[in-house]
Amino acid sequence: MTRLNLEVQALHASHDPDLFKPAADPDEIAAFFTGVMEQANNELGILGSRGTPLGYIWFERQEKPENPFMHPVSRLYVYHIAVSAAARRQGAGAKLMRWAEERAQALGATAIALACVPANQDARRFYERLGFKTERIVLHKPV
């Protein structure tokens, strides 16, 4: 998983270097994901073939109660989806996302949400092919 994360982290950093670090220490990444796996609302799914990891997905189940302004929310929020360069465009990402949809249904969630940087048009097209729609646009201004 650490190797897969390093690949996708480099890609994210190339698209948005002000937000994403170019690389992290592999031991830090392993410790981070160990902590993630200990949190009750987080799940990691790993896709492999013949003992070789091809990709992973990390999501969190989010529950937000109704309030005077918004309806209740029950969703999975995808923080990471990473597919090795060798396995891209071969269905690995779609399999990971289908698994997340199955988990969402099993957990009673009604939606899956994720963020995508505007410069990553390949990822955006991938998500749109899977039925994702733009929900809102977040604006950012450094101060």
Side-chain angles (χ1 to χ4, degrees):
M1 225 171 81
T2 300
R3 180 185 52 77
L4 292 169
N5 176 266
L6 289 170
E7 281 186 46
V8 78
Q9 187 66 26
L11 180 64
H12 286 154
S14 73
H15 287 304
D16 193 350
D18 292 335
L19 180 61
F20 294 101
K21 297 177 180 180
D25 176 66
D27 291 334
E28 266 186 278
I29 294 169
F32 176 83
F33 281 115
T34 297
V36 164
M37 289 187 282
E38 293 170 356
Q39 298 172 22
N41 287 344
N42 285 270
E43 290 191 36
L44 291 165
I46 300 173
L47 177 66
S49 176
R50 297 184 179 128
T52 301
L54 302 176
Y56 76 88
I57 189 167
W58 162 35
F59 59 80
E60 175 187 43
R61 182 170 182 198
Q62 297 178 338
E63 300 285 335
K64 297 182 182 187
E66 181 176 6
N67 64 46
F69 312 105
M70 297 183 75
H71 297 288
V73 173
S74 176
R75 70 182 187 185
L76 297 187
Y77 187 86
V78 176
Y79 288 107
H80 285 186
I81 180 169
V83 175
S84 70
R88 289 187 194 135
R89 302 192 192 292
Q90 297 178 34
K95 283 182 184 177
L96 288 164
M97 293 302 293
R98 275 195 303 277
W99 178 74
E101 284 187 40
E102 290 169 7
R103 292 297 300 140
Q105 291 170 344
L107 294 168
T110 58
I112 297 174
L114 51 84
C116 180
V117 297
N120 195 345
Q121 290 298 311
D122 288 341
R124 188 170 182 161
R125 283 188 292 274
F126 167 73
Y127 297 128
E128 288 171 348
R129 278 194 308 274
L130 295 177
F132 284 80
K133 306 282 185 236
T134 300
E135 181 180 64
R136 65 179 54 96
I137 297 173
V138 176
L139 303 175
H140 173 85
K141 176 185 176 182
V143 295

